C-alpha cells in the first residue's frame, strides 16, 4: 500500500509592482474631449445654431431687402399670423392644413409598407440582395429628377399612366396633377415610391439586431407567425419604430419639392404646403420677417409632435 506525500505548497513568485500612472495620465488632458467635439461644434454653430438665432432675430423685424431700415416690430409678425382678418394668416393656415393632410396621408404608408418589405427582405431567398438594391434605388435620385419623371408619367393628356389605364378600358383621363383627390394620390404615391427604401434599410438593420433565440423560444411555446410579430418583432423594433416615425413625420411636414414640381400647389393652392408658402412669402414677396415667423411656428409644432412621440413610446416601454 503506497501513500502519497502531501504536496508542498509552492512559493508564490513575488508580485511585481505595476508602476502607477499619475491620475492626469490615466484621464488624459481635460481639454481632450472638447478638442474631439470641436469640429462638429464648429460646423453645428456656423450652419445650424447661428442661422437659427439669426432667423429668430429677423422674425422680430420688418425685414425687407428694399427697405432702407429694418424696424423692430417685436411679436408683430407672429401676431399677424393669428389675426383672422389677415390674408397672410388665412393663406398660412391653409398651407399648414395642406401640410397636415400630407403628413396624415403619407406617414401610415411610409411606416407600414417599408416594415412589410423589411420583413420579407430579411428572409433567406435567392436574389435577396438584388431586391434590396431595387427598392433602395429610387432614394438615390434627386427630387428634381423625381419631379420631371412623374410629370411625364402622370400628365393627364400624354402621360403613360393614363395611356395604360385607357388600354384597360378607362375612357376619361384622370387629372392626376390638377384635381382633388387625385393630386393627393399622386403626391403620396410618388413620395412613398421615392423614399420607402430608406425606411426599409433602417428596419432591416433593426431586425438583424433582434436575438434569434427569442424566435426559437416562441416557436417552442407554439407561437404563430402573428404572435412572433406582435410579441417579439414589434418590441424588438420599438426604438427603431420611434426613430422611423419621428424622421418620417419631420420629412413629410417639410415636403416641398414634390408639390412644387408636380402640382405647383394646384388646384387653388390646396396642395401648397407650409414650406412652399414660407418660400413664396420670404423669397418672392421679400417679407423675410414674416416668413421667419412662419418658420418658427412650424418648427415649434414639429418639436411638440416629436416630443409627444417620445413620451408615448416611453410610456409603452414602462408598461
Amino acid at each position: 500500500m503506497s501513500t502519497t506525500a502531501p504536496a508542498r505548497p509552492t512559493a508564490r513568485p513575488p508580485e511585481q509592482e505595476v508602476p502607477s500612472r499619475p491620475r492626469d495620465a490615466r484621464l488624459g488632458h481635460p481639454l481632450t474631449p472638447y478638442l474631439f467635439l470641436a469640429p462638429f461644434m464648429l460646423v453645428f454653430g456656423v450652419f445650424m445654431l447661428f442661422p437659427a438665432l439669426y432667423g429668430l432675430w429677423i422674425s422680430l423685424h420688418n425685414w425687407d431687402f428694399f427697405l432702407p431700415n429694418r424696424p423692430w416690430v417685436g411679436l408683430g409678425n407672429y401676431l399677424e399670423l393669428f389675426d383672422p382678418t389677415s390674408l397672410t394668416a388665412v393663406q398660412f393656415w391653409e398651407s399648414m392644413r395642406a401640410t397636415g393632410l400630407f403628413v396624415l396621408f403619407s406617414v401610415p404608408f411610409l411606416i407600414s409598407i417599408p416594415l412589410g418589405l423589411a420583413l420579407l427582405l430579411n428572409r433567406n431567398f435567392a436574389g435577396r440582395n438584388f431586391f434590396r438594391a431595387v427598392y433602395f434605388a429610387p432614394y438615390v435620385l434627386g427630387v428634381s429628377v423625381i419631379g420631371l419623371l412623374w410629370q411625364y408619367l402622370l400628365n393627364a393628356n400624354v402621360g403613360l399612366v393614363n395611356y395604360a389605364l385607357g388600354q384597360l378600358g378607362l375612357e376619361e383621363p384622370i387629372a392626376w396633377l390638377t384635381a382633388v383627390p387625385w393630386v393627393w394620390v399622386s403626391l403620396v404615391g410618388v413620395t412613398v415610391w421615392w423614399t420607402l427604401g430608406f425606411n426599409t434599410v433602417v428596419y432591416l438593420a433593426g431586425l438583424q439586431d433582434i436575438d434569434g433565440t427569442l424566435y426559437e423560444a416562441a416557436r417552442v411555446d407554439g407561437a404563430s407567425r402573428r404572435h412572433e410579430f406582435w410579441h417579439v418583432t414589434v418590441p424588438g423594433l420599438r426604438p427603431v419604430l420611434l426613430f422611423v416615425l419621428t424622421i418620417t413625420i419631420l420629412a413629410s411636414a417639410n415636403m416641398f419639392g414634390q408639390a412644387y414640381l408636380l402640382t405647383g400647389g394646384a388646384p387653388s393652392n390646396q396642395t401648397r404646403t407650409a414650406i412652399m408658402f414660407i418660400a413664396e412669402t420670404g423669397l418672392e414677396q421679400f417679407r423675410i420677417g414674416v416668413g421667419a415667423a412662419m418658420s418658427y411656428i412650424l418648427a415649434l409644432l414639429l418639436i411638440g409632435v416629436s416630443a409627444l412621440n417620445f413620451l408615448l413610446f416611453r410610456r409603452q416601454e414602462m408598461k
Side-chain angles (χ1 to χ4, degrees):
M1 182 176 179
S2 64
T3 59
T4 57
R8 299 176 59 186
T10 57
R12 299 177 58 186
E15 296 183 354
Q16 295 181 353
E17 294 184 357
V18 178
S20 61
R21 291 184 299 172
R23 179 179 175 81
D24 291 344
R26 293 197 306 269
L27 298 179
H29 196 278
L31 293 179
T32 301
Y34 301 101
L35 291 177
F36 278 105
L37 290 173
F40 169 77
M41 296 304 296
L42 179 63
V43 174
F44 179 79
V46 171
F47 294 103
M48 294 293 293
L49 187 60
F50 174 72
L53 295 176
Y54 193 51
L56 179 62
W57 176 256
I58 290 175
S59 72
L60 302 175
H61 293 76
N62 183 11
W63 201 281
D64 190 326
F65 291 125
F66 296 101
L67 289 177
N69 299 313
R70 282 84 187 239
W72 170 271
V73 295
L75 297 177
N77 290 329
Y78 293 91
L79 295 177
E80 181 183 355
L81 298 177
F82 292 95
D83 182 1
T85 62
S86 168
L87 178 61
T88 302
V90 173
Q91 293 177 330
F92 172 65
W93 291 109
E94 285 178 352
S95 68
M96 291 290 280
R97 177 180 176 275
T99 300
L101 287 176
F102 180 75
V103 172
L104 188 64
F105 295 152
S106 64
V107 168
F109 293 106
L110 289 169
I111 297 295
S112 58
I113 294 178
L115 178 58
L117 280 176
L119 292 172
L120 290 174
L121 296 175
N122 197 41
R123 301 181 179 219
N124 291 320
F125 61 90
R128 182 178 65 171
N129 291 332
F130 169 76
F131 285 104
R132 287 181 176 180
V134 166
Y135 284 112
F136 188 77
Y139 189 71
V140 304
L141 300 176
V143 67
S144 56
V145 177
I146 297 295
L148 289 174
L149 172 66
W150 284 96
Q151 270 280 0
Y152 286 113
L153 292 175
L154 296 174
N155 188 285
N157 299 317
V158 296
L160 289 178
V161 174
N162 275 345
Y163 174 77
L165 293 175
Q167 297 299 310
L168 295 175
L170 186 69
E171 297 180 356
E172 292 292 330
I174 297 176
W176 296 102
L177 305 178
T178 54
V180 175
W182 303 113
V183 283
W184 291 117
V185 174
S186 303
L187 290 175
V188 172
V190 169
T191 303
V192 170
W193 172 81
W194 179 32
T195 62
L196 66 85
F198 178 78
N199 286 353
T200 302
V201 170
V202 176
Y203 280 133
L204 275 172
L207 288 172
Q208 291 169 10
D209 282 343
I210 298 176
D211 191 352
T213 58
L214 296 176
Y215 290 102
E216 295 175 1
R219 293 188 194 107
V220 169
D221 291 340
S224 62
R225 290 281 187 185
R226 181 170 59 87
H227 289 102
E228 286 181 13
F229 175 76
W230 287 112
H231 299 289
V232 179
T233 304
V234 171
L237 279 179
R238 186 164 289 141
V240 178
L241 282 169
L242 172 62
F243 173 75
V244 171
L245 178 62
T246 303
I247 63 168
T248 302
I249 290 175
L250 296 179
S252 297
N254 287 291
M255 192 268 284
F256 172 76
Q258 301 96 300
Y260 184 77
L261 294 170
L262 287 175
T263 67
S268 303
N269 293 327
Q270 292 189 53
T271 58
R272 183 172 62 180
T273 61
I275 298 296
M276 283 182 66
F277 187 61
I278 291 171
E280 289 178 11
T281 303
L283 303 178
E284 293 182 6
Q285 302 174 14
F286 300 108
R287 300 177 64 197
I288 307 295
V290 179
M294 295 177 187
S295 302
Y296 267 90
I297 290 175
L298 177 62
L300 289 175
L301 288 175
L302 294 180
I303 290 172
V305 172
S306 301
L308 184 62
N309 284 340
F310 277 93
L311 288 176
L312 292 177
F313 272 83
R314 174 166 291 185
R315 182 172 296 179
Q316 289 293 328
E317 289 180 352
M318 293 175 66
K319 286 184 179 179

